[in-house]
Amino acid sequence: MMNPRIRQNPFESYEDVASGFQDLLAPLTPFFAGKPGHLDLGTHGSVYLRQVREVEAFLRPLWGLGPFITQGSHELTASYLAGIIAGTDPESEAYWGDTVDFDQLFVEMASLSTFLLLNKEQTWDQLTQAQQDNLHAWLMQINDHRIPDNNWHFFRVLVNTAMKHMGRSYSTEMVDQDLAAIDRCYQGKGWYCDGVETQIDYYVSFAIHYYGLLYSTFEPADPRSEVIKERATEFAQTFKYWFAADGEAVAFGRSLTYRFAQVSFFSALVFANVEALPWGEIKGLISRHLHNWMQQDIFTADGLLSVGYHYQNLVMAEGYNAPGSPYWAFKSFVLLGVPKDHPYWQAEVLPLTVPKRRLPLPESKNYYAYNEDHSHLLMYPAGQYINYQSFASAKYSKFVYSSQFGNSVPKDHHWYYEGAYDNCLAVSEDDQDFRTKDLDASYEILADRVIHEWQPYRDVQIRSTIVPLEGCHVRVHEITNDRDLVVYEGGFSTPLEEKVLPQATGLTAEVVNLVGTSGIKGIYGFTEAGTVGPEPNTNLLYPLTVLPFAKASLAKGKHILVSLVTGLMPGETVEQPTVMVQGDQVTIHQGNQHVQVGK
């Protein structure tokens, strides 16, 4: 069971962070009574076999334990050494196994290698010659196999770097090859893609930059380490736009069950002694984020980190999310490897500072927008998608993602309510079997709008222009369709609360509750508006939601649809924009902002 004190932890001092780590690690202790080197934390499946799931669950907590024991001791260290010895011994019943191409075990080699690099005297030096030989041989398998062409290249870098520091054979050629592969992913302004240019998500922060900063710390003489630090410094200036003032990060992309790994990049900056932002600002980002996560329902009844996001949820999970996978979040505890006299620990917490409340950043394939007090963050992505992962359209290709309202994944696509199509234009032929935007055929991220060109069917072309405003945004869809269509425009999903009745009048639908105001207005081309209750457990933040929508039926031909979508924090108000449609042109006014859309 989780110690309830963790909800009050401010995660500001070294002692705060160490206490929080120990509270999170403690519920794992009873599971070490089983097979050495394995932890059996649950029964749900993954794309890799049960034995590998148990190895993952055993090794991932090392992301936190390794830094922790650099400045203290822990009772589980002996269990880890025993498990590592057994797991890498081919004659042991607990042997972790020989590896194959694209093996999940390569992922887990990264935490083990970092554990060795941080604590050579307490780990490697405690092993016999034969045990060292076994560990070296098991890790070196990674050099003999194929890996995905993405952040996985850093797993080989860390393994070979660890063996170099342990005084064993390693491959300089492999390190050079892998760092060159990572460099090819660079997009500019500190941003990388994760192997393919259509995927720019948290893997840029908690994988590519994170591992790079580790490497630069262990290999400071390598000239590439300075480039890594320079790019991380530039990245920090805009990656902070993924966080709201209270520490909540926007839910976007895959692997969100790793939760507070979202802030681990900033912990790695401190570990590498890179003051990319003032230490107090970095401290504010980390402490608020960790504290915010401890307020969510992220633990099982016995205190383990669950698969899910704000609550336990297998619906949104990827196939590689096993019971031990969430302990990737312990990457944020690299902070515990930072000496207690480091200026970070003495710094005063500073609030989030963003020079511009609206920031179009094509290098990250996103447009960022905050409300006035930075309590609500909106991200408008374009050109993003990923193949061969669950719910790719929902996780990468919606029109907007919100730190306050979250986003949803579908349970099915047959009926509209099953799809939980928040912030999508859901298109069908006969009011069933819906399609939404996936990868854009083309896109633009401009100073005042984001433009998507997409085709839900081969004979349907849609140009969607999204215009961010204060407290709302306007969507303009220019549609050419050679088949009859039924379309729904979805707003923000919001929690369904007792005694809060959704309101729908004419072409306007609105829900006001403790989370804020979610509303939609069909301005042009729509024929009705309403609300729908999506399937439970589809939204990443709230188990039960209601979704405002506007609807239209379109005969074959050319059409313009215009909607106004509102998402406000509690107590906020919005200046209603004026929107005029004249022929093919849409003119939008709000305050000093004037935008024209169309030919």
Side-chain angles (χ1 to χ4, degrees), residues 475-544:
R475 302 177 191 169
V476 179
H477 304 291
E478 301 166 79
I479 302 174
T480 301
N481 54 304
D482 288 337
R483 65 179 74 190
D484 294 343
L485 296 176
V486 177
V487 302
Y488 289 76
E489 180 86 280
F492 294 98
S493 289
T494 190
L496 180 61
E497 300 173 353
E498 292 185 19
K499 301 180 181 179
V500 176
L501 297 178
Q503 302 293 320
T505 305
L507 294 177
T508 300
E510 183 177 81
V511 184
V512 181
N513 56 25
L514 294 177
V515 166
T517 299
S518 171
I520 192 165
K521 181 178 182 180
I523 293 177
Y524 188 86
F526 291 98
T527 55
E528 63 178 285
T531 60
V532 66
E535 278 281 310
N537 307 316
T538 48
N539 187 273
L540 275 61
L541 270 58
Y542 310 109
L544 193 61

Side-chain angles (χ1 to χ4, degrees), residues 414-416 428-434 485-486 488 551:
H414 187 68
W415 301 114
Y416 182 69
S428 70
E429 290 188 273
D430 51 6
D431 218 349
Q432 60 189 31
D433 298 321
F434 289 87
L485 296 176
V486 177
Y488 289 76
K551 182 179 179 181

Side-chain angles (χ1 to χ4, degrees), residues 228-287:
I228 286 170
K229 291 179 179 180
E230 290 168 4
R231 290 178 178 178
T233 298
E234 190 169 14
F235 175 72
Q237 312 310 310
T238 50
F239 178 58
K240 64 181 179 178
Y241 278 78
W242 288 48
F243 298 83
D246 66 350
E248 183 78 49
V250 68
F252 175 78
R254 67 186 179 106
S255 296
L256 291 176
T257 196
Y258 300 159
R259 296 187 175 104
F260 49 93
Q262 291 166 325
V263 84
S264 61
F265 162 74
F266 293 106
S267 294
L269 283 176
V270 186
F271 177 77
N273 197 32
V274 177
E275 193 175 6
L277 304 170
W279 292 129
E281 187 174 350
I282 294 176
K283 190 175 205 176
L285 282 159
I286 295 172
S287 60

